[in-house]
Amino acid sequence: MNLYVRYFDHETVVSSVDEAIAFIGTIPEIKLDSSAKNRITTFHNSSNQFPFRLKVNYSNYVLFLKTEAPNIEAFKEEEAKRKAEKSEGINNPIYDRKKTILDALNEERVGWWLTSIKFKRVVTIPSTGKCKYFDTTFTVKQKAKSAMDAYNRIIDHLKSRNDVDPRSQFPSVKSPNFEYQFMG
């Protein structure tokens, strides 16, 4: 595993910790302490794939990334490809998951839906006059066009009720506190 090392506009790809220390030594404004080599070695030998930042003075760091790239040009190509894929949403499971959840919520299926929402209900305590939040579950079987439509109808209904304080907190439609099932 190689290391990509960057300090502002100084950057390189090295194959060992000694090469990384030698590279950092060529930058005149960096003075490494005696434990720097041990910290870089620990990062290099660990299974950690996240970037490592080595503090070299009050507010500056040297960045270390693990890479399979043999040189700086190959590393730049890999990074450009990774950024392009990320911007297009390719091979991004989080993007795919969000898209799937939103698609499922907006899928038009007219009929009866069994929906349940767990929200934070504000209740005023008569003896003290202070308010408290209580978890409240509201379940209803309703006719709707989609799960999103069912969610919106529940929220509108709860907000219009006199016994539900306007300060009550409702979960997001994508929250696990909103459950829905198409009944047909």
Side-chain angles (χ1 to χ4, degrees):
M1 182 70 58
N2 294 330
L3 289 174
Y4 167 74
V5 184
R6 184 179 78 209
Y7 180 75
F8 292 103
D9 59 346
H10 305 281
E11 61 185 356
T12 189
V13 173
V14 296
S15 59
S16 70
V17 174
D18 291 329
E19 289 179 25
I21 297 292
F23 171 73
I24 294 170
T26 63
I27 304 170
E29 59 262 25
I30 297 179
K31 304 291 185 253
L32 292 179
D33 61 6
S34 58
S35 67
K37 183 174 182 177
N38 291 338
R39 289 183 284 165
I40 298 168
T41 303
T42 302
F43 168 71
H44 188 258
N45 295 335
S46 73
S47 61
N48 182 7
Q49 292 298 316
F50 294 103
F52 170 68
R53 297 184 326 162
L54 177 68
K55 190 170 190 172
V56 292
N57 62 33
Y58 178 70
S59 62
N60 296 331
Y61 296 86
V62 176
L63 176 71
F64 294 88
L65 297 170
K66 291 182 181 177
T67 182
E68 295 291 332
N71 55 41
I72 192 73
E73 292 80 20
F75 178 80
K76 297 269 186 185
E77 288 174 15
E78 284 179 9
E79 283 298 298
K81 182 179 175 185
R82 185 187 62 79
K83 285 180 182 176
E85 287 176 352
K86 184 178 180 182
S87 68
E88 293 171 7
I90 298 172
N91 295 331
N92 189 343
I94 294 173
Y95 174 80
D96 292 342
R97 182 171 172 263
K98 284 182 181 176
K99 185 178 174 187
T100 305
I101 290 170
L102 289 175
D103 287 345
L105 288 167
N106 288 316
E107 181 182 348
E108 197 156 316
R109 295 170 77 183
V110 178
W112 289 97
W113 291 82
L114 179 62
T115 53
S116 176
I117 191 167
K118 184 177 180 181
F119 67 101
K120 299 281 186 189
R121 185 177 191 170
V122 175
V123 177
T124 305
I125 300 170
S127 61
T128 62
K130 295 185 178 181
C131 297
K132 262 190 153 178
Y133 286 94
F134 290 101
D135 284 337
T136 305
T137 303
F138 181 77
T139 304
V140 64
K141 185 176 179 182
Q142 62 178 317
K143 200 164 198 173
K145 297 177 185 175
S146 65
M148 182 69 84
D149 182 42
Y151 172 82
N152 290 334
R153 287 172 183 243
I154 287 176
I155 298 299
D156 291 343
H157 172 73
L158 290 172
K159 285 183 176 180
S160 68
R161 287 178 53 164
N162 292 337
D163 61 336
V164 177
D165 192 289
R167 295 172 290 180
S168 297
Q169 298 173 355
F170 300 100
S172 162
V173 69
K174 296 183 280 185
S175 165
N177 291 329
F178 172 63
E179 297 175 356
Y180 57 92
Q181 180 182 0
F182 183 67
M183 304 294 286

